[in-house]
């Protein structure tokens, strides 16, 4: 098998890469085995890899941002919807951890898809996964910063006793400023970004523990009963109660949807074969446990008039919950802390999204790949251009917030749908075509690996279906439409069209396509070997050619130049 042949020469190939101090010999050898030279500095420890995933999840702010999905199903949707869906997400994490420990690379999802898929399907599927994952991460950035905008403005609404009503333009304006500031910080703080994750994790836990203590005290005389907390199923939508309960799963699906950021930091993590899988499982497990506790506390302290909470004039159900329990000053204080933590979430996901985009451009799959793949040494060995490309795309997608709140909710569900497809395809490919090629890493679920993988695939497909449904009920209007199905299908079908379209009966269109090389089958060959040609042995060259992986050779030096 190609990977076994590559392994024998990986350390020799990595010798030149450790000279600059970017990685130790073991990490460089693992990456060299996958065909990549080390280009990013490995500055993240296992705890910091966990930290960036957990800080992106931003447990309590994320729950607050997605209460509009869970509250319509009542306390049962909030509490048990969280617990059940989080359990399935942990199964997905186990399947992902197996892959991440075996082959840790920043472009892991589409790299794994290419490696495990059949010869006929590997290129179009990896192309699709790369675009879907990029969309999911950028959609995550949009939804986080949109949530920040609502939280920031809710503080003003509370402070003015409801006299201020933010317009859609004001919401987008705050969103725009937030995204741009994230781009600036992600471009300038690389040298301390790993250390900052510890600060972000601490800030998250301070907010969590302060909330689960303060809310029950503030509602001491008005707390709901255990029967209400664990047994009351509501339906504030036009869907049947059972389906409405499933829609409540979107809250944990979106909240715990950043664990793949551990994969995208593979090439910046020390001891990546362990840091990646344990970062995935620690982040999911922490959110599963503490999220369950938070949902119980919220269900205990929420006003039973759920329609009033969802329709609050403060713009955020969480702001109303804080106000009812702690009064005006308490609500302002907690919402300020909330939007600060939400802001930190956005900074972390810019880092993850840019690494995925950079890895995809390194393999020549994105438009302007030769431009986007450049690494900035001056700014600390970061993909500076990829950072700002992600910022630009987020600004464009954020225009949905100008339509209506329901349309803006697509920012949340498109992230969930995009990521679900990107996670599910490589797991499916390994199970169907590539099980014989799978080589376990230090972390491995053993005999449970295959049943866990199939469970993960089924759940992820179901999650995509949920994410595409209108939240309020059937027969949506343009204002209540869930635009996830439009955006995601446009990206998925567009990526496949970008790959397959080569000719057009219209001579003008055909000339345009030919001139702009819009036929990815001709040039996208999957992951590319970026090791210098003189470093590769004949055995390695033969092995990777058997896998259909392109060797850039000497051209890698020029196309991967630094600024």
């Amino acid at each position: 098998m190609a990977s076994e042949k590559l392994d024998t020469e990986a350390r020799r190939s990595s010798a030149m890469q450790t000279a600059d101090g970017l990685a130790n010999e073991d990490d460089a050898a693992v990456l060299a085995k996958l065909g990549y030279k080390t280009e990013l500095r490995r500055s993240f420890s296992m705890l910091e890899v966990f930290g960036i995933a957990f800080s992106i999840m931003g447990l309590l702010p994320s729950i607050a941002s997605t209460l509009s999905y869970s509250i319509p199903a009542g306390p049962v949707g909030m509490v048990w919807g969280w617990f059940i869906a989080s359990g399935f997400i942990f199964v997905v994490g186990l399947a992902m951890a197996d892959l991440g420990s075996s082959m840790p690379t920043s472009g892991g999802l589409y790299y794994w898809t290419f490696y495990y898929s059949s010869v006929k399907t590997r290129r179009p599927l990896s192309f699709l996964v790369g675009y879907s994952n990029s969309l999911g991460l950028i959609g995550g950035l949009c939804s986080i910063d949109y949530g920040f905008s609502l939280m920031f403005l809710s503080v003003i609404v509370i402070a003015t006793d409801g006299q201020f009503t933010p317009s859609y333009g004001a919401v987008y304006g705050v969103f725009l400023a937030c995204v741009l500031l994230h781009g600036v910080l992600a471009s300038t703080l690389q040298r301390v970004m790993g250390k900052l994750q510890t600060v972000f994790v601490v800030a998250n836990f301070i907010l969590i523990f302060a909330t689960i203590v303060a809310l029950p005290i503030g509602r001491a005389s008005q707390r709901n009963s255990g029967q209400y907390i664990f047994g009351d199923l509501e339906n504030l939508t036009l869907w049947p109660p059972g389906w409405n309960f499933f829609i409540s799963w979107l809250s944990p699906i979106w909240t715990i949807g950043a664990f793949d950021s551990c994969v995208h930091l593979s090439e910046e993590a020390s001891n990546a074969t362990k840091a990646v899988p344990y970062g995935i499982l620690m982040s999911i497990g922490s959110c599963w446990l503490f999220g369950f506790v938070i949902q119980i506390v919220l269900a205990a302290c929420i006003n039973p008039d759920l329609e009033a909470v969802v329709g609050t004039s403060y713009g955020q159900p969480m702001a109303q919950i804080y106000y009812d329990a702690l009064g005006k000053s308490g609500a302002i204080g907690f919402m300020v802390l909330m939007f600060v933590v939400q802001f930190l979430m956005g900074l972390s996901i810019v880092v993850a999204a840019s690494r995925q985009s950079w890895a995809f451009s390194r393999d020549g799959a994105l438009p302007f790949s030769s431009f986007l793949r450049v690494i900035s040494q001056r700014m600390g060995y970061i993909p500076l251009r990829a950072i700002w490309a992600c910022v630009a795309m987020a600004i464009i997608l954020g225009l949905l917030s100008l339509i209506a709140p329901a349309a803006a909710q697509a920012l949340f569900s498109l992230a969930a749908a995009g990521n679900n497809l990107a996670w599910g395809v490589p797991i499916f490919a390994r199970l169907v075509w590539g099980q014989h090629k799978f080589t376990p890493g230090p972390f491995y679920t053993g005999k449970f690996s295959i049943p866990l993988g199939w469970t993960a695939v089924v759940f992820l497909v179901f999650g995509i279906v949920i994410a595409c449904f209108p939240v309020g009920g059937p027969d949506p209007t343009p204002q209540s439409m869930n635009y996830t199905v439009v955006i995601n299908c446009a990206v998925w079908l567009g990526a496949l069209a970008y790959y397959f379209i080569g000719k057009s009966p219209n001579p003008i269109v055909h000339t345009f396509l030919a001139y702009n090389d819009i036929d990815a089958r001709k040039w996208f060959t999957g992951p590319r070997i970026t090791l210098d040609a003189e470093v590769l042995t004949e055995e390695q060259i033969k092995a990777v050619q058997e896998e259909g992986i392109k060797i850039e050779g000497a051209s890698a030096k020029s196309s991967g130049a630094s600024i």
Side-chain angles (χ1 to χ4, degrees), residues 253-301:
I253 286 174
W254 183 82
T255 299
I256 315 178
F259 57 84
D260 66 315
S261 59
C262 299
V263 176
H264 302 308
L265 286 175
S266 294
E267 295 179 38
E268 295 176 80
S270 299
N271 196 12
T273 55
K274 292 184 179 179
V276 171
Y278 287 110
I280 290 172
L281 297 179
M282 289 164 59
S283 58
I284 297 175
S286 298
C287 285
W288 186 6
L289 172 62
F290 290 106
F292 185 56
V293 174
I294 291 169
Q295 294 287 8
I296 292 174
V297 171
L298 294 180
C301 300

Side-chain angles (χ1 to χ4, degrees), residues 418-435:
N419 283 330
N420 275 22
L421 185 140
W423 301 336
V425 172
I427 298 172
F428 178 83
R430 176 206 156 186
L431 295 172
V432 175
W433 296 299
Q435 184 60 31

Side-chain angles (χ1 to χ4, degrees), residues 38-267:
T38 298
E39 299 182 69
L40 303 176
R41 191 178 302 280
R42 292 185 181 269
S43 57
F44 287 80
S45 66
M46 181 186 297
L47 180 61
E48 290 163 351
V49 170
F50 153 76
I52 199 164
F54 188 76
S55 61
I56 293 174
M57 293 173 182
L59 185 56
L60 188 53
S62 293
I63 289 175
S65 297
T66 54
L67 282 174
S68 58
Y69 293 118
S70 56
I71 288 179
V76 166
M78 297 169 65
V79 174
W80 295 118
W82 180 274
F83 187 83
I84 295 171
S86 297
F88 282 115
I89 295 169
F90 193 80
V91 171
V92 176
L94 287 168
M96 191 81 73
D98 277 346
L99 295 173
S101 182
S102 174
M103 307 176 80
T105 172
S106 293
L109 299 175
Y110 71 84
Y111 185 101
W112 303 334
T113 300
F114 184 90
Y115 182 77
Y116 290 115
S117 294
S118 67
V119 174
K120 291 184 178 180
T121 62
R122 57 174 42 171
R123 287 199 289 173
L125 284 182
S126 63
F127 197 74
L128 173 63
V129 165
Y131 272 92
S132 187
N133 192 211
S134 298
L135 171 70
L137 288 166
I138 295 172
L141 170 60
C142 288
S143 53
I144 288 172
D145 285 1
Y146 175 73
F148 167 86
S149 179
L150 294 181
M151 292 175 186
F152 181 87
L153 292 170
S154 72
V155 171
I156 301 177
V157 175
I158 295 173
T160 59
D161 296 317
Q163 297 301 308
F164 171 73
T165 302
S167 64
Y168 296 158
V171 172
Y172 182 75
V174 175
F175 165 87
L176 176 62
C178 183
V179 173
L180 291 173
L181 185 54
H182 280 146
V184 172
L185 294 177
S187 302
T188 56
L189 297 180
Q190 171 61 19
R191 289 174 175 82
V192 295
M193 190 62 70
K195 304 301 180 185
L196 284 176
Q197 301 314 310
T198 302
V199 177
F200 296 173
V201 170
V202 171
N204 268 281
F205 277 114
I206 289 174
L207 179 59
I208 290 169
F209 287 120
T211 297
I212 62 179
V213 170
L215 284 183
I217 294 175
R219 295 282 288 182
S221 61
Q222 297 175 291
R223 287 199 295 264
N224 299 313
S225 66
Q227 173 62 33
Y228 180 83
I229 296 170
F230 297 104
D232 187 70
L233 178 65
E234 301 281 349
N235 186 4
L236 304 185
T237 73
L238 299 178
W239 294 115
W243 188 250
N244 187 43
F245 174 73
F246 287 134
I247 288 179
S248 73
W249 290 16
L250 283 175
S251 177
I253 286 174
W254 183 82
T255 299
I256 315 178
F259 57 84
D260 66 315
S261 59
C262 299
V263 176
H264 302 308
L265 286 175
S266 294
E267 295 179 38

Side-chain angles (χ1 to χ4, degrees), residues 347-358:
L347 177 57
S348 294
I349 200 170
V350 169
V351 174
S354 63
R355 272 49 174 185
Q356 156 61 21
S357 298
W358 168 78

Side-chain angles (χ1 to χ4, degrees), residues 158-159 161 215 219 312 314 317-332 335:
I158 295 173
D161 296 317
L215 284 183
R219 295 282 288 182
T312 176
Y314 300 144
M318 194 70 198
Q320 186 66 54
I321 294 173
Y322 278 135
Y323 189 92
D324 292 339
L326 306 172
K328 178 178 177 179
S329 298
I332 290 176
M335 289 305 296

